[in-house]
Amino acid sequence: MSVRPIKRISVLGATGSVGLSTLDLVRRNSHKFKVVSLTAYSKVEELSALAIEFNAELAVIGDEKKLDALKERLAGTGIEVAAGEAGLIEAAEREAEIVMAAIVGAAGLRPTMSAVRRGATVALANKECLVCAGDLLMEEVRVHGATLLPVDSEHNAIYQVFEVERASSVERVILTASGGPFRGRSYESLKAVTPAEAIAHPNWDMGAKISVDSATMMNKGLEVIEAYHLFPIKKSQIEVVVHPQSVVHSMVEYSDGSVLAQLGSPDMRTPIAYSLAWPERMEAPVKRLSFTEIGALTFEEVDLEAFRCLALAREAMEAGGAAPAILNAANEVAVAAFLSEKLRFIDIPSVVSDTLAICDIKAPQSLSNVFEIDKIARAAAQNQLALRAI
Ligand code: NDP
Ligand code: MG
């Protein structure tokens, strides 16, 4: 029997929801993995505890002001430390077969690109990367022979059932959406919702930003754009259907009428395990589905009036060029303002749409171009916030 070599793995965004689920699987399969780099933005205590537990080679803190605290905590352990964007890039560049890209937001773009450029296998959770710079990122994947494994549950589901050799026979890709905590609510009733209500997702346990995105359904909009970049399909072939049970994670329909779906419990450890073990499979300690317990799987149309963000994301995808990057930047600004109670929930789409209306959507030609667009869009969105401050 052949013994499988140990896989070297780096986790960018190790202290987040996806990062911790990844490390949970690594902990349970410690004989299969060697942890190389771990990163966080500001949680020094959590990062140093993880670095010690997993005997990482390098621990990186995004916030440079926290470097001394990190050094102090890791003194005498032999674990190297670094900080800031340069440190995050170093973490991604360290020799490791798999890089879990689980930083939240556009901040994850440069480190993810660095991992892609050394031809690594990148388990991609950070959807904002593809939304801001999908064309550039996919081109780099091709040029450097990197492997991109989608971790987002919908895209991981599609990846599992999409027959790439028969892409021309694919008629539709159907993304499922839980509908979030406000499914069925009218626009009027969403005026007074609080951050605590918005991040209380009915099925998934996720970070704050993506939880708010799920509540506005911007998350599904970002995922439509993500699917467009990841799979050889046309924009018009991507559909969204609300599926409150979050059991069918997405579907692909073929020309003979067959629809292939991937099902599972709503637990990110399934798509993460798929990505860590690829091209094999590994055990994940997730609740097994009991179809008799579930009873019924239901599907509904999206209410695009109450959840305007999904329509805005589609419009940005159709407009192309810089529009998705602007959409993403404005959304990040608006969500942060909502979380700090400076913006109403229903004003998130207004900030996004007004920012899109005033920014130039000329397509970015380089990564630095993407960052310029991101910066301009963030400043424009900040001005929009000022007009709507609570
Ligand atoms: P979390 O907010 O839980 O974690 C984010 C991680 O990124 C943390 O480690 C955080 O560090 C770090 N981070 C935050 N800001 C920066 C920054 N500016 N520079 C460097 N690092 C930073 O997010 P999630 O785990 O929920 O999501 C991560 C990504 O995966 C997102 O893009 C999300 O859309 C995507 N995703 C998440 C899913 C989920 O179930 N959670 C499902 C599908 C996709 P610190 O802890 O120190 O702040
Ligand atoms: Mg998803």
Side-chain angles (χ1 to χ4, degrees):
M1 210 173 76
S2 69
V3 180
R4 289 213 181 84
I6 287 182
K7 281 189 185 174
R8 288 168 60 87
I9 179 169
S10 290
V11 184
L12 313 179
T15 48
S17 160
V18 171
L20 290 172
S21 292
T22 304
L23 289 171
D24 177 60
L25 290 168
V26 170
R27 184 182 288 117
R28 292 165 192 267
N29 293 276
S30 54
H31 55 293
K32 292 185 182 153
F33 298 98
K34 162 81 188 95
V35 172
V36 180
S37 319
L38 296 178
T39 82
Y41 182 70
S42 62
K43 291 189 181 148
V44 171
E45 255 177 67
E46 289 84 343
L47 175 66
S48 32
L50 291 169
I52 291 168
E53 180 192 346
F54 289 94
N55 192 22
E57 291 177 15
L58 172 67
V60 178
I61 192 83
D63 183 353
E64 290 177 337
K65 297 191 290 295
K66 305 261 167 95
L67 179 60
D68 286 344
L70 184 64
K71 273 187 189 158
E72 216 170 281
R73 285 177 187 277
L74 293 179
T77 61
I79 300 169
E80 294 169 64
V81 295
E85 193 171 59
L88 296 171
I89 290 172
E90 188 187 342
E93 283 178 346
R94 276 284 162 109
E95 183 50 43
E97 284 96 343
I98 314 179
V99 176
M100 169 57 74
I103 289 174
V104 61
L109 180 53
R110 262 199 240 273
T112 304
M113 198 64 114
S114 304
V116 163
R117 284 181 176 153
R118 65 172 181 78
T121 295
V122 178
L124 186 68
N126 177 287
K127 64 191 82 187
E128 293 90 349
C129 274
L130 279 173
V131 173
C132 302
D135 291 336
L136 293 170
L137 187 70
M138 295 311 289
E139 176 60 11
E140 296 286 309
V141 167
R142 199 187 58 74
V143 168
H144 298 281
T147 302
L148 212 55
L149 299 172
V151 171
D152 208 348
S153 59
E154 297 76 2
H155 307 77
N156 187 268
I158 296 166
Y159 191 84
Q160 293 195 39
V161 297
F162 196 107
E163 298 172 5
V164 182
E165 318 75 48
R166 280 173 283 282
S168 60
S169 301
V170 169
E171 286 195 349
R172 285 190 298 168
V173 161
I174 305 157
L175 295 173
T176 53
S178 68
F182 304 138
R183 181 177 63 88
R185 298 264 297 258
S186 67
Y187 174 80
E188 202 56 34
S189 78
L190 295 176
K191 284 188 171 162
V193 300
T194 63
E197 290 171 301
I199 60 176
H201 197 282
N203 305 343
W204 298 93
D205 181 11
M206 310 182 285
K209 192 264 178 180
I210 183 175
S211 297
V212 176
D213 285 347
S214 297
T216 60
M217 291 200 73
M218 177 60 92
N219 183 48
K220 213 47 56 180
L222 301 179
E223 290 183 355
V224 168
I225 302 173
E226 186 184 4
Y228 168 66
H229 288 294
L230 285 171
F231 303 104
I233 43 170
K234 296 195 198 82
K235 295 168 182 168
S236 58
Q237 289 176 295
I238 309 168
E239 291 183 12
V240 173
V241 65
V242 174
H243 167 50
Q245 296 81 22
S246 295
V247 167
V248 177
H249 296 312
S250 278
M251 303 174 257
V252 177
E253 183 187 62
Y254 291 88
S255 53
D256 60 3
S258 299
V259 177
L260 303 193
Q262 184 261 0
L263 282 67
S265 290
D267 186 325
M268 284 303 292
R269 289 176 300 179
T270 293
I272 294 171
Y274 180 90
S275 308
L276 297 190
W278 184 89
E280 311 289 330
R281 296 245 179 202
M282 68 189 249
E283 160 81 16
V286 303
K287 187 171 184 285
R288 280 11 187 191
L289 289 181
S290 160
F291 289 98
T292 48
E293 229 173 75
I294 297 164
L297 298 175
T298 60
F299 301 90
E300 319 164 357
E301 272 192 40
V302 182
D303 175 355
L304 288 174
E305 261 169 49
F307 302 100
R308 277 172 62 209
C309 284
L310 175 54
L312 287 172
R314 264 205 185 271
E315 283 164 27
M317 177 176 72
E318 294 298 340
I326 297 164
L327 169 103
N328 180 67
N331 182 57
E332 286 192 31
V333 168
V335 170
F338 168 67
L339 284 171
S340 49
E341 301 188 16
K342 292 186 182 123
L343 185 75
R344 289 188 306 171
F345 182 78
I346 51 154
D347 286 332
I348 295 174
S350 321
V351 168
V352 173
S353 100
D354 291 353
T355 305
L356 273 165
I358 53 179
C359 290
D360 181 1
I361 67 160
K362 192 161 155 285
Q365 304 299 323
S366 65
L367 205 53
S368 48
N369 226 200
V370 172
F371 285 107
E372 279 161 31
I373 292 163
D374 180 79
K375 200 170 158 203
I376 293 168
R378 276 171 204 269
Q382 287 292 349
N383 289 338
Q384 296 299 322
L385 287 185
L387 301 175
R388 295 182 181 78
I390 296 176

